[in-house]
Amino acid sequence: MLPEAFLNRMKQTLGSEYEEFLAALEGERHQALRLNPLKRGKPEETAAQALGKVPECGRPEEFKRFGDRLTPVPWAENGYYYEACLQPGKHPYHEAGLYYIQEPSAMAPAELLQVKPGERVLDLCAAPGGKSTQLAAKLEGRGFLLCNEIHPVRAKILSQNVERMGIRNACVTNEAPEKLCGVFAEYFDKILVDAPCSGEGMFRKNEAACEEWSPENVRLCADRQDEILDCAARMLRGGGRLVYSTCTFSEEENEGSVERFLQRHPDFKLVSAELKKEGLSGFESRLAGTVRLMPHKVKGEGHFAAALERESGACAAGGVNAGFKRPSRQEMEDYLSFCRENLTYVPGAGDEWEPGQKCRDGAEYIRFGDKLYLVPGELPDMRGIKILRPGLHLGELKKNRFEPAHALALALSPAEAVHVLNLKGSDSAVFAYLNGQTLSAAGEKGWYLICVDGFSLGWGKLAGGMIKNHYPKGLRRNYLLYTGEDAEASD
């Protein structure tokens, strides 16, 4: 049951729309996903094109069966509603990172941030990663994305989703916003603050949010939101944009948070938070320029968003990636040898490499424990920051050899691998692979990029007619053959 204090407040707020609002909360939820434009199959085709309704791609039948059951989310690029029976969370395409399952209203804030390729972007409260992966898609592999989450368990889930979506230019941290301020002062072009809130907009989706609600918790959330926004302000460059969002209906946490922020920060101004208007007639906020997505007005849960811009000024200069350990010449030679034998190019740099040399786009190789990473260039000194994923995980540095990482496989297209084993999404072999079983195959021995319908899924190593399975043990589960029918959709 919904809390009485909440209902009384909403009745006063909504007036004649109150009964319509209640009816919406009792109705069925709308399920959606976002197709991944970073994931490439053929050189000219992304996952978003293969599964989306793009006629010029000439989609093969397996993609049509999936994609024709999607309808666009009007306010989100590559966002689609899916039929409840489709079960996209149980399809191999999910493990390959072809899409991210995301509540449709939650897709709005990242659209408002207006991210462009090459920018420095921060998602300050990022777990589980829906908005981070959306921002990464807009960067198109260029620039820098910092995804931060203060809670350790949720930060690990965030890191896994960054990996699954094949993102190459993101760093994942597990820090309090206050700790990041001293490192990234006036550093970012764009910042998203999807703040922890009382979660009223998720009552229909999450019963626990309803049970945990109280007027006292609303006030505590509002206080914490003020603190988080102040930290974000310190990290935004002059002329940069900050988007603040919540999944609650509380005015104290929404319009109130924005108004209090503007009083504390006169160098910021509220700008019009415009979304694509097709099919959108959200509840008009009393604060002009902000957006409320209401469940009785749109096909989605409750969400609030506001876009703020800072007065023009300089952006802090990048650092020199201080604090990271560099790989030795021998370790790099082991990595380059692997690339020459198994890939059609060397991720990050050409074959000729010297210690301290930067890559073509300014990125650098670093050693993080026994792992080799490719990290974006010109990062500030991040010593003392809890880092889960400093960049693209290339692989592990073993004794006199290099072993590729699962993250590298998911970031590659089949055209970038020398050996490829392509499995059909409807065949039992792909589920055997996801379950950790070996596969029989003919061909040259060596590392194989295992793909599903032309999109990378993981690694396997062929010897003696058998492919040893290198799909990570922590990701294996008892997969059953996908049917896509007659079952409740996965979250």
Side-chain angles (χ1 to χ4, degrees):
M1 294 181 62
L2 296 172
E4 184 176 353
F6 166 75
L7 292 175
N8 290 337
R9 193 194 73 210
M10 294 307 298
K11 186 173 184 178
Q12 183 178 2
T13 301
L14 292 172
S16 61
E17 295 183 10
Y18 176 68
E19 294 299 331
E20 187 183 357
F21 169 76
L22 281 187
L25 292 187
E26 294 173 359
E28 292 186 3
R29 293 195 290 119
H30 300 283
Q31 313 275 6
L33 54 78
R34 220 175 0 84
L35 302 179
N36 186 4
L38 297 178
K39 191 78 179 185
R40 291 195 168 273
K42 299 175 183 178
E44 70 281 3
E45 182 182 64
T46 69
Q49 292 169 326
L51 294 177
K53 300 193 174 186
V54 185
E56 59 267 26
C57 287
R59 294 175 300 158
E61 191 60 34
E62 56 266 25
F63 294 144
K64 288 181 181 178
R65 287 198 300 269
F66 196 101
D68 287 349
R69 299 164 81 173
L70 305 175
T71 55
V73 175
W75 52 83
E77 183 181 17
N78 297 317
Y80 291 86
Y81 296 102
Y82 63 83
E83 297 175 14
C85 64
L86 191 57
Q87 295 183 282
K90 296 182 179 181
H91 197 289
Y93 293 168
H94 180 269
E95 308 313 312
L98 271 64
Y99 48 77
Y100 188 102
I101 298 173
Q102 187 177 15
E103 197 282 309
S105 294
M107 299 179 187
E111 297 292 332
L112 294 176
L113 200 57
Q114 299 182 357
V115 167
K116 297 179 177 59
E119 291 183 324
R120 300 172 181 174
V121 181
L122 168 63
D123 188 356
L124 188 53
C125 312
K131 296 176 178 68
S132 284
T133 57
Q134 192 175 358
L135 297 172
K138 295 182 181 301
L139 284 173
E140 299 178 0
R142 306 197 295 277
F144 170 58
L145 174 63
L146 179 63
C147 315
N148 181 70
E149 173 57 44
I150 191 172
H151 298 288
V153 173
R154 288 169 55 81
K156 289 180 181 178
I157 296 171
L158 167 65
S159 184
Q160 291 168 356
N161 281 321
V162 166
E163 175 177 281
R164 181 172 63 85
M165 300 297 279
I167 299 169
R168 301 186 182 206
N169 58 329
C171 174
V172 180
T173 55
N174 171 213
E175 277 295 354
E178 295 83 356
K179 187 73 173 289
L180 295 177
C181 288
V183 175
F184 292 99
E186 299 183 346
Y187 182 84
F188 293 101
D189 301 293
K190 305 284 173 65
I191 297 178
L192 177 62
V193 178
D194 187 49
C197 66
S198 57
E200 297 168 358
M202 294 292 109
F203 281 175
R204 177 167 57 171
K205 178 181 178 181
N206 185 356
E207 291 184 6
C210 185
E211 295 170 358
E212 294 168 2
W213 184 91
S214 71
E216 293 75 22
N217 189 42
V218 169
R219 287 191 289 273
L220 287 172
C221 288
D223 290 342
R224 181 57 180 148
Q225 289 154 6
D226 289 350
E227 296 170 359
I228 294 172
L229 277 170
D230 288 346
C231 291
R234 291 172 57 189
M235 292 186 278
L236 188 70
R237 69 164 175 83
R241 171 173 284 218
L242 185 158
V243 166
Y244 171 74
S245 65
T246 74
C247 60
T248 196
F249 303 118
S250 163
E251 186 168 309
E252 188 174 357
E253 300 176 70
N254 292 336
E255 292 90 349
S257 287
V258 173
E259 289 173 327
R260 294 191 301 274
F261 176 82
L262 290 172
Q263 289 173 358
R264 297 191 305 274
H265 298 275
D267 57 333
F268 279 78
K269 65 179 180 180
L270 186 64
V271 295
S272 179
E274 294 184 358
L275 289 169
K276 294 179 181 177
K277 297 299 183 182
E278 296 86 356
L280 180 63
S281 58
F283 179 76
E284 290 297 327
S285 167
R286 67 164 179 78
L287 186 59
T290 61
V291 168
R292 274 183 179 260
L293 280 75
M294 301 293 287
H296 64 295
K297 293 290 189 179
V298 302
K299 293 170 63 175
E301 307 304 318
H303 231 83
F304 170 86
L308 301 142
E309 289 185 356
R310 192 176 186 183
E311 290 179 356
S312 298
C315 182
V320 289
N321 289 357
F324 290 125
K325 183 178 180 180
R326 268 59 178 182
S328 68
R329 180 181 291 274
Q330 182 58 54
E331 289 166 342
M332 280 301 300
E333 184 54 42
D334 293 340
Y335 164 69
L336 294 172
S337 295
F338 166 84
C339 294
R340 294 176 192 128
E341 293 173 10
N342 298 287
L343 303 181
T344 58
Y345 82 119
V346 179
D351 285 2
E352 299 300 324
W353 179 87
E354 294 295 331
Q357 176 181 326
K358 292 198 175 194
C359 303
R360 289 185 294 267
D361 57 359
E364 295 185 57
Y365 295 108
I366 68 160
R367 178 169 182 163
F368 199 69
D370 60 353
K371 297 176 175 62
L372 183 67
Y373 279 84
L374 186 63
V375 302
E378 297 189 342
L379 297 181
D381 189 339
M382 295 178 67
R383 280 175 286 197
I385 297 295
K386 297 175 188 173
I387 302 173
L388 275 66
R389 183 178 298 272
L392 175 62
H393 183 196
L394 298 171
E396 290 196 37
L397 300 163
K398 306 281 188 177
K399 187 175 181 179
N400 298 322
R401 66 185 177 90
F402 174 85
E403 186 167 299
H406 185 59
L408 176 59
L410 291 172
L412 294 173
S413 71
E416 295 170 319
V418 172
H419 301 115
V420 175
L421 177 63
N422 188 43
L423 306 173
K424 289 285 186 182
S426 56
D427 289 350
S428 60
V430 71
F431 296 92
Y433 174 74
L434 292 172
N435 289 335
Q437 300 175 32
T438 57
L439 303 175
S440 58
E444 297 180 355
K445 70 176 185 177
W447 288 95
Y448 277 67
L449 187 66
I450 311 299
C451 297
V452 54
D453 292 331
F455 290 91
S456 62
L457 187 59
W459 292 110
K461 197 171 186 181
L462 178 61
M466 300 295 293
I467 287 190
K468 181 180 178 181
N469 196 314
H470 281 262
Y471 194 71
K473 293 181 180 179
L475 298 179
R476 298 174 189 176
R477 49 184 168 142
N478 187 24
Y479 283 93
L480 301 176
L481 190 63
Y482 176 83
T483 62
E485 299 290 347
D486 302 326
E488 184 179 352
S490 166
D491 285 333

